Amino acid sequence: MKIAVLRERFEGESRVAATPETVAKLIGLGATVTVEQGAGLGSRIGDAQFAEAGASIGTTTAQTVEGADIVLCVRRPAAAELAGVNRGALVIGALDPYGNETDIAALAGAGVTAVSMEFMPRITRAQVMDILSSQANLAGYQAVIEAAAVFDRAMPMMMTAAGTVRPAKAFVMGAGVAGLQAIATAKRLGAVVSATDVRPAAKEQVESLGGKFVAVEDEEFRQAETAGGYAKQMSAEYQAKQAELTAQHIAKQDIVITTALIPGRPAPRLITREMVESMAPGSVIVDLAAERGGNVELTQPGRIIEHNGVTIIGFTNVQGRIPTTASQLYARNLLSFVTTLIDAKEKKLAINWDDELVKATVLTRDGAVVHPNFQAPAAPAAPVAVAKDAPTPPSASVEVKAAPAKTGATGKPAARTAAKRAAGKAEVPAMADTPKKAEPGVEQSIPAAAEVATPLRKRAAAKKVEKLVDVAAAAKAPAVRKAAAPKKPAARKPAAPKGDK
Ligand code: NAD
């Protein structure tokens, strides 16, 4: 039983689908593991560390995947990269199938079993495999860190001999996994935090984290949550009321983090140009929904812009800006799922195709697209011409100049410095991810199996919030420590006129 770990080709993707810790555990399950050369460099994991954990290093993609029964990846690989895998091999990753049906059909045509981890049901048993939660949690944390890095003022209240500095006001829009972690992180940094959401359950979650809940709490709000806990598309009337309330609130904020999403739809537009213009110069907006079109009218996906002195950060793949931790958690998510697919005693694959986790996540099997959400375009895929060594997929169209992604040698300090520098300039390119196109017709990005009927009770909700925001903290120390990264250069801030807003 061979497991292959691919080096990511998607520009700006610095994560990797396995770590030395998970490699050792996969070997313990009876697998042999081949990691593609350089796969971990973006997350500061060298080939030697993978080798020490028991993996062999594949010098080419073809060599890495040859004879593989399972291929682990972060982004969807091109079918051509999978030449030489065993027939029916599982390709497990964040395959992002919506809007990419042709690629999925090509994977079917290549004879692999494509498994989309985003479709993992949000049930208790699968929490440990939930890549959406593990990555959104980190994105929420990192959004606040990015905002703090370009904010020209201190976050906490400071009482000094020279006088008192008031705390920053942070407003989080969308209190799902990312939003709750953003609230918790901003609170830890000492900001006065408020938050909004259209789901009533979010109110007590926000309050349990010490945030002030700001929302139009009408009848529509009381009905705004689906049985699965997701937000519904709100009516135009509600959106108008919400915009009015938001407009007054935003004008007084220093930092705004937007995370609002509706499964399968473009991100709701929550902040207009006028609202941005109502904010004081020096304020910062981080739009975590940039990849799905943005919650902010002025957001440019993949870029940092400045408008009337307000910095708008439109990074996509924000979790990829904290790659070592993101890879650590993502790899554990994958390991947990793969463990359910292996008979550890017999040391061989033993897939239960009737398992709800398998049924929910398998997109292709036996040459066909089998997932119910993709039945319509499941025309027989043309045979895929496979190359011996896979070509690098075309780069994202976003130009990358001053603020490169934190990959490989670029590393965190350089990227942060770049982000900091970028804050002083308008229109500086940031991350290089191509924005995902949300599929307008699709109501639900997760399968119906994920729906749970009972609303959360207050104590359960508070517990769940703690759990969600503490995922990263609760994670054990990585088995292999990276070499000490160079220390972050001292933050140099542009000399902007200061004074309380
Ligand atoms: P998401 O990424 O789909 O959306 C982010 C947030 O944006 C949501 O809270 C949503 O309500 C909010 N939103 C949508 N439209 C909005 C608008 N117009 N204005 C303001 N906010 C808006 O959500 P998510 O982080 O994936 O979480 C969705 C739900 O799933 C939550 O209830 C969460 O607690 C739950 N969840 C459950 C599990 C589990 O049981 N295993 C795991 C993770 C999350």
Side-chain angles (χ1 to χ4, degrees), residues 44-59:
R44 311 233 179 221
I45 305 169
D47 294 339
Q49 288 168 285
F50 279 121
E52 211 174 293
S56 60
I57 305 300
T59 50

Side-chain angles (χ1 to χ4, degrees), residues 336-385:
S336 300
F337 181 54
V338 169
T339 304
T340 69
L341 309 173
I342 292 176
D343 182 336
K345 247 192 194 157
E346 300 290 325
K347 300 202 178 303
K348 61 174 192 176
L349 272 181
I351 303 165
N352 174 5
W353 296 102
D354 291 327
D355 184 342
E356 59 185 323
L357 308 188
V358 174
K359 281 205 283 198
T361 53
V362 167
L363 300 178
T364 67
R365 196 178 164 198
D366 296 334
V369 178
V370 295
H371 197 281
N373 293 16
F374 299 92
Q375 281 308 293
V384 178

Side-chain angles (χ1 to χ4, degrees), residues 121-128 130 132-134 136 172-180 196-199 201-202 205 224-225 228-234 238-239 242 246 259-263 267-270 292 295 445 450 452 456 464-465 468:
R122 283 183 146 174
I123 55 175
T124 308
R125 185 183 150 222
Q127 272 182 356
V128 66
D130 185 350
L132 292 182
S133 287
S134 76
V172 177
M173 304 188 76
V177 178
L180 291 174
T196 189
D197 201 293
V198 291
R199 291 179 301 108
Q205 296 174 342
E225 185 160 323
Y230 286 92
K232 286 181 184 164
Q233 173 83 11
M234 305 305 276
Y238 184 91
Q239 286 179 33
Q242 186 186 29
T246 307
T259 77
L261 291 174
I262 300 152
R269 192 50 56 81
L270 302 179
R292 295 265 296 275
N295 293 139
S445 70
V452 281
L456 295 172
K464 191 169 167 191
V465 174
L468 288 169

Side-chain angles (χ1 to χ4, degrees), residues 50-346:
F50 279 121
E52 211 174 293
S56 60
I57 305 300
T59 50
T60 62
T61 311
Q63 193 191 349
T64 305
V65 302
E66 191 178 6
D69 301 293
I70 298 179
V71 177
L72 301 180
C73 53
V74 178
R75 303 276 182 162
R76 183 183 62 256
E81 287 176 64
L82 301 168
V85 297
N86 282 346
R87 185 96 197 143
L90 295 147
V91 178
I92 305 175
L95 302 188
D96 185 22
Y98 286 120
N100 296 306
E101 287 79 359
T102 312
D103 287 0
I104 300 303
L107 290 175
V112 299
T113 304
V115 179
S116 199
M117 289 295 287
E118 302 98 314
F119 285 6
M120 191 59 70
R122 283 183 146 174
I123 55 175
T124 308
R125 185 183 150 222
Q127 272 182 356
V128 66
M129 311 163 199
D130 185 350
I131 63 162
L132 292 182
S133 287
S134 76
Q135 303 302 292
N137 185 46
L138 292 175
Y141 160 82
Q142 187 65 17
V144 178
I145 301 301
E146 301 286 354
V150 299
F151 187 49
D152 291 337
R153 296 165 39 168
M155 292 275 272
M157 180 166 91
M158 290 188 190
M159 296 174 83
T160 75
T164 300
V165 174
R166 75 156 174 82
K169 290 180 197 153
F171 181 41
V172 177
M173 304 188 76
V177 178
L180 291 174
Q181 183 58 264
I183 294 167
T185 305
K187 283 292 287 183
R188 285 183 200 123
L189 287 177
V192 172
V193 183
S194 56
T196 189
D197 201 293
V198 291
R199 291 179 301 108
K203 180 175 181 171
E204 60 198 271
Q205 296 174 342
V206 169
E207 288 171 353
S208 76
L209 288 169
K212 183 175 178 242
F213 192 67
V214 180
V216 178
E217 298 184 43
D218 62 5
E219 193 47 39
E220 187 175 350
F221 170 84
R222 280 182 275 281
Q223 309 294 329
E225 185 160 323
T226 67
Y230 286 92
K232 286 181 184 164
Q233 173 83 11
M234 305 305 276
S235 69
E237 294 76 49
Y238 184 91
Q239 286 179 33
K241 283 191 270 182
Q242 186 186 29
E244 201 183 317
L245 182 70
T246 307
Q248 293 163 15
H249 193 64
I250 278 183
K252 300 176 214 143
Q253 302 303 309
D254 300 306
I255 292 174
V256 179
I257 313 276
T258 68
T259 77
L261 291 174
I262 300 152
R265 286 185 172 273
R269 192 50 56 81
L270 302 179
I271 301 185
T272 60
R273 170 189 287 266
E274 291 71 37
M275 291 181 199
V276 172
E277 289 170 356
S278 75
M279 296 177 78
S283 306
V284 183
I285 301 174
V286 181
D287 190 347
L288 280 188
E291 208 165 347
R292 295 265 296 275
N295 293 139
V296 185
E297 185 182 347
L298 300 177
T299 292
Q300 292 188 25
R303 298 170 77 94
I304 297 174
I305 64 155
E306 195 176 303
H307 183 80
N308 278 7
V310 177
T311 302
I312 304 171
I313 300 176
F315 290 140
T316 55
N317 189 18
V318 171
Q319 56 273 23
R321 297 184 65 76
I322 178 175
T324 305
T325 312
S327 296
Q328 180 191 342
L329 298 183
Y330 180 85
R332 284 185 188 164
N333 291 146
L334 261 50
L335 169 70
S336 300
F337 181 54
V338 169
T339 304
T340 69
L341 309 173
I342 292 176
D343 182 336
K345 247 192 194 157
E346 300 290 325

